[in-house]
Amino acid sequence: MSRTSAELTERFGSPLYVYDLDRLREARRALRAALPPEFTLFYSLKANPHPELARALGEGEGACRAEVSSTGELASALHAGFPAAEILYSGPGKTTGELHEAIGSGVRQFSVESLTDLRRVGAVAEAHGVVADCLLRVNSEAGGASTSIRMTGTPSQFGIDAETLADTAADLLAVPHTQVVGAHFFPLSNSRDEENLISEFRQSIETAARLRDELGLPMRFLDIGGGFAAPYATPGPRPVYEKLRHELESALDLHFPGWREGSVEIACESGRYLVGGCGELRTTVTNIKESRGRKFVILDAGINTFGGMAGLGRLLPLAIDLDAADPAEPGDQMSPVSPAETVSLVGPLCTPGDVLGRNVRVPALAEGDVVTIPNAGAYGVTASLLHFLSRPAPGEVILSGGEVVSATRLDSVRGVLPG
């Protein structure tokens, strides 16, 4: 990025997220290159619903469609210009009110997690006089991957247990004002190992073909999910998936001949891989103290700013860079500064849980230093304990070609409930 931390924080304040659209588009190109060209690619707004990032992913060569799981994400997707009829609405907790808002806005495609979920979609679709296309999210009986965060393959709120589909298929296909058009799989998240990712995708494709052949489930649309990895709060590049495209094509040729000609639309989805590397969090050292032999570096960004998951210990370890003295050229990465000491990086909140990193090796720091947490474009602001202590949200700046094109702050206003 062409702007130093000190320059941007002086202009827009601290803490500050900085997103680079050039890096974002490069990530999309890389993922597109790793997938068969016929694939539909969804951007999962849960990773970062900022409308400017979503808009950039939804435009130009390799444009993504939007996958949302709330009316807030839906509003961001619509604001970013995604056509409502092409948005996929998913999630295990869709309420009647949310469905009225989604269908009333023009959404027609849903991933459903149970028969009751499907019936709720159908009832709201009937009230609007429309028919909703629905994908059955399937909780496979076992997973093909041995690493990463498992989403299904165990007892789960996600998906319909595959072993129950034989008994419920007739009911699922008979819900008024819905048509089951295919299946949705999302068995794992953040798979760093390509072999495990391929194994999981293969199993999903095989399971979909078996459900089609044995139960007669329609399979005009098959979403095999995601699981693409990206470094989070530590330096490093995205994984390169060299075998993925060939392996996907081979599995689909075997189980869905004609898919290349459009007999079935194949989709996958990604969040962190697309946006993780485009963002950095710039935060300022406000205090440094020692307590019983341990050094604490207190930042103006805590778990209210960077990932509520930090409070669960899921961000450790974490890395920071001290801002370079001279502006970098556009596209340059920050030169790493040699670590000098081991500290705990903590935020400003009145809770001992406000810890971003323990035993983190850092350069020598002083009050007022601006430091950068790399690879922070995914699961940042909206994955944080944003309202705790009622501190203001961090700023968010968008760069393109090294220049600032947007500078905003997410705000919330307490309003009066209707009724």
Side-chain angles (χ1 to χ4, degrees):
M1 299 185 184
S2 65
R3 302 290 183 179
T4 66
S5 300
E7 179 185 356
L8 287 171
T9 54
E10 182 178 354
R11 181 176 173 186
F12 297 110
S14 176
L16 186 70
Y17 279 92
V18 182
Y19 309 118
D20 191 317
L21 297 184
D22 298 333
R23 293 184 183 182
L24 181 81
R25 296 183 183 105
E26 175 53 36
R28 184 179 63 183
R29 284 193 293 270
L31 186 53
R32 280 292 191 187
L35 296 170
E38 297 88 352
F39 268 44
T40 294
L41 179 59
F42 285 99
Y43 171 53
S44 297
L45 269 76
K46 63 179 65 67
N48 191 326
H50 195 298
E52 294 299 327
L53 301 186
R55 179 178 293 109
L57 289 169
E59 295 176 342
E61 184 178 357
C64 301
R65 289 171 58 180
E67 182 266 328
V68 304
S69 296
S70 70
T71 53
E73 290 182 358
L74 173 60
S76 291
L78 294 174
H79 181 65
F82 289 93
E86 297 180 4
I87 294 173
L88 174 63
Y89 200 115
S90 64
K94 297 182 285 292
T95 68
T96 297
E98 290 169 352
L99 289 170
H100 274 293
E101 185 170 342
I103 291 176
S105 297
V107 177
R108 295 294 180 268
Q109 189 170 38
F110 296 87
S111 171
V112 297
E113 314 267 355
S114 63
L115 178 58
T116 51
D117 192 21
L118 179 60
R119 285 173 171 163
R120 186 174 293 111
V121 171
V124 176
E126 181 178 12
H128 288 263
V130 300
V131 174
D133 289 345
C134 294
L135 305 177
L136 303 180
R137 180 164 178 179
V138 178
N139 181 4
S140 299
E141 296 181 59
S146 58
T147 63
S148 75
I149 302 170
R150 290 223 57 83
M151 302 290 288
T152 55
T154 62
S156 175
Q157 70 268 42
F158 301 112
I160 303 168
D161 294 341
E163 65 272 20
T164 70
L165 281 168
D167 296 327
T168 59
D171 291 333
L172 290 163
L173 295 175
V175 175
H177 286 269
T178 70
Q179 56 177 354
V180 173
V181 297
H184 180 198
F185 296 80
F186 203 110
L188 80 169
S189 177
N190 202 27
S191 176
R192 294 173 176 83
D193 181 86
E194 184 176 21
E195 295 300 327
N196 279 293
L197 184 65
I198 289 170
S199 176
E200 204 68 59
F201 281 149
R202 277 189 169 276
Q203 179 168 306
S204 295
I205 292 167
E206 292 168 5
T207 301
R210 177 172 57 82
L211 295 175
R212 175 201 61 197
D213 297 340
E214 296 180 2
L215 304 182
L217 289 180
M219 209 59 65
R220 299 193 298 275
F221 195 107
L222 173 59
D223 184 343
I224 60 173
F228 307 105
Y232 189 31
T234 58
R238 298 178 302 274
V240 177
Y241 298 116
E242 296 179 342
K243 304 176 183 177
L244 181 60
R245 177 172 173 173
H246 171 73
E247 294 293 337
L248 286 172
E249 290 174 339
S250 297
L252 289 166
D253 286 341
L254 177 62
H255 295 287
F256 288 91
W259 71 275
R260 297 173 190 265
E261 290 74 42
S263 62
V264 54
E265 184 174 358
I266 308 294
C268 62
E269 55 201 81
S270 176
R272 75 177 76 230
Y273 189 95
L274 291 170
V275 298
C278 84
E280 299 172 346
L281 173 59
R282 285 52 179 319
T283 174
T284 302
V285 178
T286 62
N287 195 14
I288 298 175
K289 62 166 290 187
E290 291 193 14
S291 175
R292 293 174 176 165
R294 292 175 58 192
K295 179 171 283 190
F296 292 84
V297 174
I298 302 169
L299 306 171
D300 61 6
I303 56 175
N304 61 318
T305 301
F306 187 50
M309 293 182 286
L312 305 177
R314 292 176 67 178
L315 292 188
L316 310 179
L318 174 140
I320 63 171
D321 281 327
L322 184 62
D323 182 42
D326 298 316
E329 293 300 318
D332 280 357
Q333 299 287 332
M334 274 192 180
S335 299
V337 179
S338 298
E341 57 185 348
T342 300
V343 304
S344 290
L345 294 172
V346 301
L349 305 183
C350 298
T351 169
D354 190 16
V355 179
L356 293 181
R358 296 183 179 90
N359 299 320
V360 179
R361 294 288 292 168
V362 299
L365 296 173
E367 291 183 24
D369 282 343
V370 177
V371 299
T372 296
I373 298 173
N375 288 319
Y379 300 107
V381 177
T382 54
S384 304
L385 302 180
L386 196 58
H387 295 297
F388 188 53
L389 261 64
S390 299
R391 287 181 174 269
E396 294 176 279
V397 169
I398 307 286
L399 303 181
S400 183
E403 298 301 322
V404 174
V405 296
S406 171
T408 59
R409 186 189 307 278
L410 185 64
D411 197 10
S412 60
V413 178
R414 192 182 302 276
V416 176
L417 289 172

